[in-house]
Amino acid sequence: MTAYILPIGLLFVSNIFMTFAWYGHLGDMSRPVWLAVLVAWGIAFFEYCLAVPANRVGHAVYTTAELKTIQEVITLVVFAGFATFWLGERLTVNHLIGFALICGGAFFIFKAPIAA
């Protein structure tokens, strides 16, 4: 059971780090770009420290396509919260429809193959 749950938790936390690495600097654009790059690189190190073990543990029970799909759905959830609460952006119905369509695609990754 741990092999199913642990990767999801690790990927969730790693996505928080990566979202801050990629987009956190947008909350304060007064710093020079080179500093934003260095800070982002430092934050990304911790993301890798979580994502790599998540994928190693998860690969015992998930295919790589499933792991990538899990990661992408988690990314959408984390990003939506980040954009709303950190950057103060408003999510629109169009965003929600787009996210729902992506999640619909994820459904087929985990569904048993359709017979031809």
Side-chain angles (χ1 to χ4, degrees):
M1 188 56 139
T2 301
Y4 287 97
I5 301 299
L6 184 61
I8 294 169
L10 290 172
L11 287 171
F12 186 81
V13 177
S14 78
N15 259 277
I16 293 171
F17 278 106
M18 203 58 180
T19 300
F20 271 96
W22 284 7
Y23 303 105
H25 61 92
L26 297 177
D28 180 9
M29 300 275 286
S30 67
R31 293 189 176 105
V33 172
W34 67 267
L35 182 58
V37 169
L38 286 178
V39 170
W41 185 66
I43 294 169
F45 170 77
F46 294 103
E47 185 270 342
Y48 277 86
C49 289
L50 297 166
V52 170
N55 287 314
R56 286 201 169 200
V57 170
H59 195 256
V61 293
Y62 297 114
T63 66
T64 52
E66 290 170 337
L67 283 168
K68 183 60 179 169
T69 302
I70 291 167
Q71 196 271 335
E72 292 301 330
V73 170
I74 290 169
T75 297
L76 287 175
V77 171
V78 169
F79 178 79
F82 178 85
T84 302
F85 298 111
W86 184 262
L87 297 177
E89 295 182 1
R90 195 173 139 262
L91 291 178
T92 67
V93 172
N94 286 4
H95 293 119
L96 299 176
I97 292 169
F99 292 168
L101 290 170
I102 291 169
C103 289
F107 167 79
F108 287 100
I109 297 295
F110 287 91
K111 187 176 180 341
I114 299 171

